[in-house]
Amino acid sequence: MSKGFRADTAHMAKAAKEAHGHAERVESHSSNLDSKTRGRLLGKGRFGMIVEKAVRPIIDSMITDMSKAMARGHRSIGHGLDISRKNIDDAEEAIRKNLRRHKDERDAVHLKLGQRVLGEDDLRDKHRKRVAERVDDLRRQGHGPQRHLDPTDDMLKDRLGKPAGPEDAQGNPLKDDDGNPRYHYQDGYVQTKEKIDPAHGPNAKERLGDDAYMDAEDMSRKHKCDSFSTAFNHDQGEAFMHADLHGRSQLDPHKTERQYIRFQPEDAWGPGSDHHERFRGFYVDPKNPVDQASGSINYKPVDFRGAGLLAIYDPDGKGGHKLVTMYPEPERDRNA
């Protein structure tokens, strides 16, 4: 894509209209089968429930893909239509294979030229596979999924590190007048050390020793983490993908430097009061960082109500952008 590309709104509208028209034709073909054929497809025989099990789910999935992807931007439209088109193509091929296996049987369904009937229960699995492939592509672009989708809860806690404070000449923590360890604070949150980068993968400390504290992308420097260690829930790969699509739709194609795109979850996923439930994360309790009896760190779960999303992109050298990282940003007032 050239540096000066601007999306043509007329072409975008035409593409959206054609895609939705195609979806309507597919559903129409499925529902307008003659009564005899419909009886065989929806009956209890060899072809029982093909349409009922396959048509509605894949139509729903396709419409969802397109509606979300078309909401913003030319790049988002391209990704969404590509996923939807593959869903349709897979559906057609799957049902044709099914019908060819039974072409000599009395119950075989004969399709007219250009007519599509959707089938096979594993089409949703194919869609999930494509989402996974897209998330894998984002892993190759940067470290977003590695740090903000893949890690376990324990890995998110390890990323916060250990509370840090002033020490004496022997390395022992200094204490206040009440005998409690003193800690460094910034903006009301405990500062920490020995942060383990989740991008190293599970059991990093056991495998790498002190190298686990280094940044996985640049082992010459220590890993950094803000006061919050946040991520999407493990089952939110599709939400992660659509959030990236929305973030890309907000990019300025003329800028050649890194771009920071902030937006609200409903901008990417539509209206909803429970989007905050897609996230997880922790921070060290500012009032009681360490349990003095056990020595364990007191982690608090993040309250994600009102949280926004931050996506960071770099030019990819090919006229587009690569996702460096993306994560939820909680409201600090809710997490004191």
Side-chain angles (χ1 to χ4, degrees):
M1 185 174 297
S2 65
K3 180 178 179 182
F5 177 85
R6 288 183 179 274
D8 188 315
T9 55
H11 289 170
M12 290 164 58
K14 181 180 178 182
K17 181 178 179 180
E18 290 177 351
H20 281 288
H22 182 61
E24 291 174 358
R25 289 194 297 276
V26 170
E27 191 166 17
S28 175
H29 286 316
S30 302
S31 61
N32 290 337
L33 297 173
D34 60 68
S35 58
K36 185 177 180 180
T37 302
R38 189 181 302 114
R40 285 196 294 269
L41 287 173
L42 297 179
K44 296 182 179 179
R46 189 182 301 274
F47 294 98
M49 308 305 288
I50 292 178
V51 172
E52 183 175 319
K53 289 183 179 180
V55 173
R56 188 71 261 163
I58 196 61
I59 285 290
D60 290 342
S61 177
M62 181 187 67
I63 295 298
T64 298
D65 289 339
M66 288 193 297
S67 62
K68 288 181 178 179
M70 289 178 185
R72 299 279 184 177
H74 56 282
R75 292 185 181 278
S76 182
I77 287 178
H79 285 299
L81 290 179
D82 185 56
I83 291 174
S84 300
R85 182 174 60 252
K86 289 179 180 178
N87 281 343
I88 290 294
D89 292 342
D90 279 345
E92 180 183 27
E93 181 59 25
I95 195 64
R96 287 186 183 279
K97 285 182 179 179
N98 190 311
L99 298 180
R100 283 197 296 270
R101 287 198 297 268
H102 303 285
K103 64 181 180 179
D104 296 326
E105 299 183 17
R106 183 174 57 186
D107 286 341
V109 177
H110 300 285
L111 300 179
K112 296 179 181 179
L113 182 63
Q115 185 178 10
R116 295 173 182 241
V117 178
L118 307 178
E120 304 245 346
D121 293 338
D122 66 345
L123 286 173
R124 280 197 178 278
D125 292 336
K126 287 182 177 291
H127 175 70
R128 285 192 289 267
K129 179 180 178 182
R130 289 205 172 94
V131 170
E133 289 172 349
R134 177 57 184 164
V135 174
D136 279 341
D137 181 48
L138 295 177
R139 288 190 181 94
R140 291 187 288 271
Q141 293 182 29
H143 58 254
Q146 295 93 315
R147 291 177 183 164
H148 304 288
L149 178 64
D150 302 335
T152 64
D153 286 356
D154 285 342
M155 291 168 69
L156 292 179
K157 293 176 181 178
D158 288 341
R159 189 183 186 203
L160 288 170
K162 301 177 180 179
E167 299 176 342
D168 61 21
Q170 287 71 43
N172 299 313
L174 298 179
K175 298 183 179 181
D176 59 22
D177 294 338
D178 296 326
N180 298 315
R182 292 162 52 190
Y183 300 106
H184 293 306
Y185 285 82
Q186 182 175 342
D187 299 328
Y189 293 94
V190 181
Q191 297 301 289
T192 57
K193 60 182 180 180
E194 298 180 7
K195 308 169 192 282
I196 298 179
D197 188 351
H200 285 307
N203 305 314
K205 181 63 174 160
E206 289 80 356
R207 292 184 292 103
L208 304 175
D210 288 347
D211 283 345
Y213 305 136
M214 310 305 289
D215 193 280
E217 294 182 311
D218 183 358
M219 293 293 286
S220 67
R221 59 185 175 88
K222 291 289 185 71
H223 180 60
K224 295 181 180 180
C225 177
D226 194 7
S227 301
F228 301 97
S229 180
T230 64
F232 288 67
N233 288 333
H234 285 298
D235 62 351
Q236 294 299 315
E238 185 169 3
F240 194 97
M241 177 189 76
H242 283 294
D244 166 64
L245 293 177
H246 176 75
R248 290 177 187 277
S249 74
Q250 304 301 301
L251 291 169
D252 184 340
H254 301 290
K255 288 185 177 180
T256 58
E257 65 272 14
R258 173 169 289 186
Q259 297 188 48
Y260 297 81
I261 308 297
R262 283 186 165 87
F263 54 96
Q264 292 302 305
E266 53 267 27
D267 295 334
W269 306 322
S273 60
D274 60 349
H275 289 323
H276 62 280
E277 296 178 3
R278 300 176 186 268
F279 307 134
R280 59 200 166 95
F282 303 92
Y283 64 105
V284 176
D285 186 350
K287 296 184 174 78
N288 186 25
V290 177
D291 182 84
Q292 297 306 305
S294 64
S296 61
I297 301 171
N298 289 324
Y299 297 103
K300 295 187 68 173
V302 173
D303 182 345
F304 283 103
R305 289 176 297 170
L309 286 162
L310 171 63
I312 303 175
Y313 296 91
D314 278 343
D316 63 6
K318 303 176 183 178
H321 292 81
K322 58 184 179 181
L323 178 70
V324 177
T325 191
M326 180 171 60
Y327 53 88
E329 291 186 308
E331 288 187 348
R332 291 181 176 252
D333 290 345
R334 294 183 183 274
N335 297 275

